[in-house]
Structures are given as structure tokens and as C-alpha cells.
Amino acid sequence: MNASIACDPYLLSLAATNFYGTLNDVNLQNTICASACGSSLSTYHNSVQTACKNDLDPWDNVPAVYYDYVSDITFPTQDSELTALPNAQQCSPCIIALIKHLQSTPYSNYDAKLATQWKSIQTTCGLSSPTDPQPPALNGSVAVPGYVQNGTTKPSVCKSGNTYQVVSGDTLEKIATAKGVSSGTLRTINGILPDGSNLYAGGTLCLPQTCRTYVVQPNDDCAALASSNGISYTQFRAYNPSINQDCTNLLSGTRICVGLPGPTYNGTTIDGATITKTDQYASSTVAPPSNVATGTTRKCGKYYNVQPGEICEKVAMNNSIAITLFEAINPSIDSDCSNMLSGVSNNEPMLPMARRQSG
């Protein structure tokens, strides 16, 4: 949102350098800290909150006005400590109001270190105010796509097992294209900065799993890309975890996955297995034969004469019966099916293949 702020332009320079001390010029300081400026900033802040309160979260659990808060109240911990200021400045209304505001909101970077300084300042200035940091305002851990949070460490193991050594002239998109991977995932798992400034020749990258890729074109959107590639929006998001839920960071020219990453599962069938029925329950029972296995149910729609070398899975599959049901109605068979023929001399046991469903 654009608005005219009634503040001296020099305030922008001070804000850009995170300056919070005295200006050593009373007239200049009074100009910068004019009440009209504070009122103007407050009005703008409130208008942003009102206009954006119903906006979708840009990322999970991150409110639309989150960065408006942060830009207004973030206090740089890398600057000199507040307790290093002269006592007169520590106890000044400006510093006191600033720290109270930082402590009162969960959106600031007020932490244990600042809490210690605030306690010391209160002792110096004879004050008594809360010092504990506020609990986080966001529900759970927030992973903002394209941003690596403080404390994030590079994984010691490349889970795909595939690596690549960067050579001179490489770019992230060039590597992603050559290796058939998503550039967003490649960037994320290797902690590559958005401008690629930490992509060094000679470095080793962990490659994500390969996938069917697509280069994003201007005006593309996630839903249309998912539909045109025969996948759901949920699948599209799962294949491209660096893209946020509202698809606002889908960038033209980047390479994304439009198919499931990893090798294609073709599956292997059990030799000789065929499907002959679609219902594992029979509508009537048959008389049990004389060589039924010990413990096998006598209320069955079909019995099967086991052949030498057959395994439980093959017998169950060929007769369209779940392996769990097969084991339940043939309790003499052990868990690894190693004794399907044991204990029966000169006879091949008959096992029920379609038990009549009661009721």
C-alpha cells in the first residue's frame, strides 16, 4: 500500500542503518521525532492492518501483516548493547518506550539477551516492568519457502545419494536443467541464496530426485499446471515444496516438477499369479475333503490342493483372498508360510479359498 508519510526524509536514512541513539542535535532530533510523524506512521500502520486483515496468509501460519509488524519494531541485536549507553539515554522516554514496545509484542526480536539488558536498565532507572519475552505468535514452526531460518544446518548426508560438483560457469537453473531436477528443491536442500552468490565452482551439491520437469512461463499458475499435467493441486505442491500454498512465488524461468520425483514404480508380480475372482467370500459352502489341514475351517466355499513349492501369497492371490484372511482360516500355517505342507504325509492338504460369509 502506498501512502504519504508526514515525516522528515532523513528518517528513512536512519531506519535503513538501524540507528536508535541520540542525534547530538536537539533541533534535528525534534524535527525527526515530531508528533505529526508518529501519528502519520501510526495511521498508515492501522490502515495496512485494516486493509490486509482478510488477506490469505502468504505462507502457512504467517499473517499477511507480519512483515509490516517486523519492519516497524525489529530491534537489531547486532548493534551495541543498550546498557552501554549513558545512563541519561538509558532512562530517556524514547529508549524506555522502545524497549517496552519490543517486550510487549511477539513480533519483535526481543529475546533473552534483551531481557537481561532491560532488567539492568530498570535497576538503573528505578523502573518495574515485565521483562519476559512474549510467546511466539505463530502456530508451530514456520518454514517460509525460499528462506533459510537461523540455526538451520546443512544435512550431513545426501539422501538421494546423488551429488554434483559445481564447475565454472554453472548456474542453478543450468544444473537443474542438466540433471532433470526442480531448481527450487535444488536451491533449498543446498542452502543456495536467491541470487546464487554462494554457488562456488568446486563445491559439491546434493541433487534431489529426478522428475518430469517443466520451465515456468509468464502468467502460469499452479492450478492450471497441475491440471494440464494430469495431477492434483495437492500432488503439485508435494512435488514442489518450495512453492507456497497460494502459488505467489511461482517464478517464470524456474524449473519445477510436474511428475512424481524419484524412480517410477513398475512393480513385480509373483510368478504364475493370476486373478480369477473379485469377491473373497463365497455364497455357499462345500463339503470338506478328507485331507483338510489341521485347524482349517470346515465352513468354506472352496478348498484348494496345494502344489509342491507353492507359497501362501501366490495361493491367496490366485484365489482372490486377502492374505490376512487366508492365514486366519488356516491357523496351522506359521507366519512365514514355511510349513504349508509340513505334517501331512503322502497327501497334499486342502485349504479353503472362499469362506462363506456369515449373516
Side-chain angles (χ1 to χ4, degrees):
M1 293 179 61
N2 295 323
S4 296
I5 306 298
C7 296
D8 190 288
Y10 186 51
L11 179 63
L12 183 61
S13 299
L14 296 177
T17 58
N18 293 321
F19 183 82
Y20 62 90
T22 180
L23 297 178
N24 296 315
D25 185 320
V26 175
N27 292 329
L28 176 59
Q29 187 153 318
N30 288 339
T31 300
I32 296 297
C33 299
S35 59
C37 176
S39 298
S40 181
L41 287 172
S42 179
T43 299
Y44 174 69
H45 183 92
N46 292 337
S47 66
V48 170
Q49 285 188 281
T50 301
C52 302
K53 66 180 180 180
N54 295 321
D55 285 6
L56 295 173
D57 293 351
W59 295 288
D60 293 342
N61 300 319
V62 180
V65 295
Y66 177 71
Y67 291 103
D68 178 52
Y69 276 112
V70 172
S71 63
D72 284 350
I73 62 180
T74 295
F75 186 84
T77 56
Q78 68 268 25
D79 288 336
S80 59
E81 294 187 356
L82 289 171
T83 50
L85 295 172
N87 287 357
Q89 289 188 25
Q90 290 185 38
C91 301
S92 68
C94 182
I95 293 296
I96 298 301
L98 171 63
I99 306 176
K100 283 185 175 181
H101 186 55
L102 291 173
Q103 186 278 329
S104 68
T105 174
Y107 292 102
S108 74
N109 60 352
Y110 182 91
D111 55 11
K113 181 178 179 180
L114 279 175
T116 300
Q117 296 179 48
W118 183 213
K119 291 177 183 178
S120 175
I121 290 174
Q122 291 195 53
T123 300
T124 300
C125 304
L127 303 173
S128 179
S129 293
T131 58
D132 292 338
Q134 299 294 320
L138 308 178
N139 298 322
S141 175
V142 177
V144 178
Y147 173 75
V148 180
Q149 298 187 6
N150 291 335
T152 300
T153 57
K154 183 178 180 180
S156 58
V157 177
C158 180
K159 294 185 177 180
S160 71
N162 300 318
T163 59
Y164 172 78
Q165 188 169 30
V166 182
V167 299
S168 179
D170 271 343
T171 64
L172 198 73
E173 294 301 330
K174 182 178 179 180
I175 297 170
T177 299
K179 298 300 179 180
V181 299
S182 159
S183 54
T185 306
L186 179 64
R187 181 190 304 280
T188 300
I189 65 175
N190 290 284
I192 303 301
L193 296 174
D195 61 359
S197 58
N198 62 336
L199 183 67
Y200 302 113
T204 300
L205 299 180
C206 175
L207 297 175
Q209 292 183 314
T210 58
C211 63
R212 182 162 55 92
T213 62
Y214 169 81
V215 178
V216 179
Q217 302 300 310
N219 301 318
D220 274 344
D221 68 78
C222 295
L225 287 174
S227 177
S228 63
N229 285 280
I231 58 178
S232 68
Y233 186 78
T234 301
Q235 289 174 315
F236 181 87
R237 286 285 317 286
Y239 302 163
N240 298 280
S242 62
I243 298 176
N244 65 40
Q245 66 177 358
D246 296 312
C247 197
T248 57
N249 64 338
L250 181 69
L251 303 178
S252 175
T254 57
R255 187 169 292 273
I256 60 173
C257 285
V258 291
L260 179 66
T264 302
Y265 174 74
N266 295 316
T268 55
T269 58
I270 299 173
D271 185 36
T274 58
I275 299 298
T276 57
K277 297 199 309 295
T278 58
D279 189 351
Q280 64 178 343
Y281 289 103
S283 58
S284 61
T285 60
V286 297
S290 60
N291 59 340
V292 175
T294 302
T296 289
T297 180
R298 261 48 178 180
K299 295 181 179 180
C300 212
K302 176 186 176 183
Y303 290 88
Y304 176 75
N305 198 16
V306 177
Q307 303 301 309
E310 287 189 314
I311 61 174
C312 294
E313 289 79 4
K314 177 181 177 181
V315 175
M317 181 177 290
N318 277 345
N319 290 276
S320 301
I321 182 174
I323 187 66
T324 51
L325 178 59
F326 177 82
E327 293 171 342
I329 58 180
N330 295 287
S332 63
I333 301 175
D334 59 24
S335 59
D336 60 0
C337 197
S338 61
N339 67 337
M340 189 157 61
L341 296 178
S342 66
V344 180
S345 176
N346 301 319
N347 287 298
E348 295 167 339
M350 303 295 290
L351 300 178
M353 288 299 101
R355 182 185 179 189
R356 184 173 182 269
Q357 189 172 20
S358 62

